[in-house]
């Protein structure tokens, strides 16, 4: 039996803040809108939630449709519901926080997006809707969470050097870290697997490659291990 509400009700959208790391620069994925409102303006990928799907399903669908991305790390960030945030009417959006290995994705626009591209988080164009606020909130979440959960490894290639790992943290936290102390702390956690491989095709002395041991971390986490950098 269907039921018709007798009062106006808001629509629901999802918006996704997709971060990637590129040579020491933290990037965010933006799409250029192809339809009004804000046609031609840059925005976060997202769209309306369909009646038969969950919020996360909607977020994953929009990422695939608008930018060709299928993320492994996607988590709910915050709900934005200020009246007037969307000129189409009363629209509440649930934002998602996404981390990807940038090298795995070459953005391709589809659906109602004219273009999809990576921008430095420190140099983005003026964004549609309240997406500048959404991006700021996501960046604050990343800065805080990267210190107490190993989510930063989602931004690195599967095999990385200790220098790349340190550069990741320095980029996200926007400050320099002492090399000796950083390496001592991260290696003491015993979560990195040292590989019998070194960097290839580099002009300097090739550094040792490492891999993050996800299985070991999960085991330690269940035992109460606290990841903190």
């Amino acid at each position: 039996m269907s039921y018709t509400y007798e009062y106006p009700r808001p629509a629901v959208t999802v918006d996704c803040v997709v971060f990637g790391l590129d040579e020491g620069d933290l990037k965010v994925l933006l799409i250029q809108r192809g339809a009004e409102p804000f046609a031609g303006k840059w925005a976060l990928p997202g769209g309306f939630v369909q009646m038969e799907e969950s919020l996360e399903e909607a977020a994953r669908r929009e990422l695939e449709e608008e930018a060709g991305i299928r993320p492994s790390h996607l988590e709910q960030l915050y709900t934005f519901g200020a009246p007037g945030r969307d000129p189409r009417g009363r629209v509440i959006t649930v934002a998602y926080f996404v981390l990807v290995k940038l090298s795995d994705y070459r953005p391709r626009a589809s659906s109602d997006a004219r273009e999809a591209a990576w921008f430095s988080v420190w140099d983005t164009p003026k964004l549609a809707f309240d997406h500048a606020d959404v991006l700021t909130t996501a960046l604050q979440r990343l800065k805080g969470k990267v210190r107490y959960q190993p989510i930063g490894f989602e931004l690195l290639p599967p095999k990385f050097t200790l220098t790349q790992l340190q550069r990741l943290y320095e980029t996200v936290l926007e400050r320099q870290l002492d090399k000796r102390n950083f390496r001592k702390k991260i290696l003491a956690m015993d979560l990195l697997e040292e590989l019998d491989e070194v960097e290839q095709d580099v002009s300097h002395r090739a550094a040792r490659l490492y891999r993050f041991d996800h299985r070991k971390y999960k085991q330690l986490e269940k035992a109460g291990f606290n990841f903190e950098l």
Side-chain angles (χ1 to χ4, degrees):
M1 178 179 177
S2 61
Y3 180 81
T4 302
Y5 289 95
E6 297 179 356
Y7 55 86
R9 57 194 186 278
V12 179
T13 60
V14 289
D15 287 305
C16 301
V17 185
V18 185
F19 289 119
L21 191 69
D22 182 25
E23 294 296 327
D25 189 13
L26 186 62
K27 303 279 192 176
V28 63
L29 181 69
L30 300 177
I31 59 101
Q32 189 175 38
R33 291 182 56 80
E36 294 292 351
F38 302 110
K41 299 295 184 181
W42 291 93
L44 299 169
F48 286 95
V49 179
Q50 297 177 358
M51 294 296 289
E52 73 282 0
E53 63 185 357
S54 69
L55 292 171
E56 182 172 325
E57 288 170 342
R60 292 185 180 278
R61 173 181 54 77
E62 287 291 343
L63 283 171
E64 171 68 17
E65 289 180 356
E66 292 193 337
I69 283 182
R70 296 180 180 178
S72 58
H73 184 93
L74 180 147
E75 61 179 272
Q76 199 170 117
L77 171 67
Y78 196 76
T79 301
F80 296 82
R85 62 171 301 277
D86 190 319
R88 292 169 294 191
R90 187 72 174 96
V91 180
I92 294 172
T93 194
V94 180
Y96 278 83
F97 173 92
V98 183
L99 301 178
V100 299
K101 294 174 176 57
L102 190 145
S103 59
D104 290 346
Y105 294 101
R106 178 172 294 178
R108 57 171 178 79
S110 56
S111 184
D112 58 352
R114 291 183 186 174
E115 188 177 350
W118 293 103
F119 288 84
S120 171
V121 296
W122 324 119
D123 187 24
T124 60
K126 185 176 181 180
L127 302 182
F129 305 102
D130 56 353
H131 288 186
D133 293 334
V134 179
L135 174 57
T136 297
T137 302
L139 188 55
Q140 291 172 343
R141 171 73 64 86
L142 177 60
K143 285 176 178 289
K145 199 164 187 178
V146 75
R147 301 192 63 177
Y148 64 86
Q149 283 190 11
I151 60 171
F153 293 98
E154 298 291 340
L155 296 168
L156 290 173
K159 301 174 184 179
F160 52 84
T161 67
L162 294 179
T163 297
Q164 288 175 310
L165 180 59
Q166 181 173 337
R167 189 180 299 130
L168 158 69
Y169 279 90
E170 290 178 334
T171 300
V172 173
L173 298 176
E174 293 187 89
R175 62 184 178 87
Q176 287 191 328
L177 301 173
D178 181 81
K179 178 179 178 179
R180 184 171 178 272
N181 290 338
F182 176 83
R183 294 191 176 196
K184 181 179 179 181
K185 195 165 189 177
I186 192 68
L187 292 175
M189 293 183 185
D190 198 26
L191 290 172
L192 300 186
E193 178 187 353
E194 184 175 350
L195 304 175
D196 292 326
E197 300 177 50
V198 296
E199 292 178 290
Q200 299 295 319
D201 302 320
V202 291
S203 57
H204 54 79
R205 181 180 177 184
R208 179 71 58 185
L209 293 175
Y210 291 79
R211 181 163 49 209
F212 179 69
D213 193 333
H214 290 274
R215 181 179 298 180
K216 188 170 187 178
Y217 172 71
K218 290 298 183 183
Q219 293 172 344
L220 290 173
E221 186 181 33
K222 290 179 180 178
F225 172 77
N226 181 35
F227 182 96
E228 185 176 351
L229 278 175

